[in-house]
Amino acid sequence: MSALPEVRRADKLMPEEETLAFLAEGYCGRLGTVGADGQPYVTPLLYVVMDGEIWVHNAIEAGHLRANVLANPRVCFEVDDAGPVFAYGRFECDTSVAYRSAVAFGRVRIVTDRAAKERFCHQLMAKYGPPDTGRPEGFFPRLAGICVYAINVERLTGKKTPLPSVSEQFPALDRSKSPEARAPGLPQR
């Protein structure tokens, strides 16, 4: 794997335990792959964290995702939870969003073991399946029709920007990143 740059905004880093918990509870992730021609491709997927890896699936028929994985097993997986947008300063560019995110870098493999695929489906239904549907649990007649992928995480980072209290937002507090700027036509502060 190529050397990854250090995290630029260390002030936003989440502790490892918090990042792992957020990754496990996240709703939908995006899997970034790169094709043989160097073209990136991102796929939104439901997922589970199982055995210390990130597991996803899609159709067994070969498509864009599978072609990329076979060409280059290096991947990036991202999960986020966006919150409200808020102003922190007097100019429009002084705007941010409350969020949490986790980004995993690693290598992906195709899981062919039937028992492992079945265990993945059990975990996926435990996370996403509606309760008490009356459907037979643990019966996956289309297991042969899905391709399961497991991502071995080599690096994981989590970041967050919590929503500031109203007293920490503009106009109560002006934290403009351009304090000396003067907008034309506005009174001086």
Side-chain angles (χ1 to χ4, degrees), residues 13-27:
L13 282 176
M14 287 194 292
E16 183 178 6
E17 278 186 26
E18 187 178 349
T19 301
L20 290 168
F22 173 67
L23 178 64
E25 74 187 32
Y27 185 73

Side-chain angles (χ1 to χ4, degrees), residues 75-87:
V75 298
C76 182
F77 187 82
E78 186 272 350
V79 178
D80 62 77
D81 179 23
V85 173
F86 62 92

Side-chain angles (χ1 to χ4, degrees), residues 58-67 144-147 149:
N58 69 356
I60 197 74
E61 291 82 15
H64 203 159
L65 176 62
R66 172 89 62 87
I146 66 169
C147 184
Y149 301 89

Side-chain angles (χ1 to χ4, degrees), residues 81-95:
D81 179 23
V85 173
F86 62 92
Y88 60 82
R90 65 186 172 280
F91 305 114
E92 287 183 328
C93 58
D94 295 326
T95 303

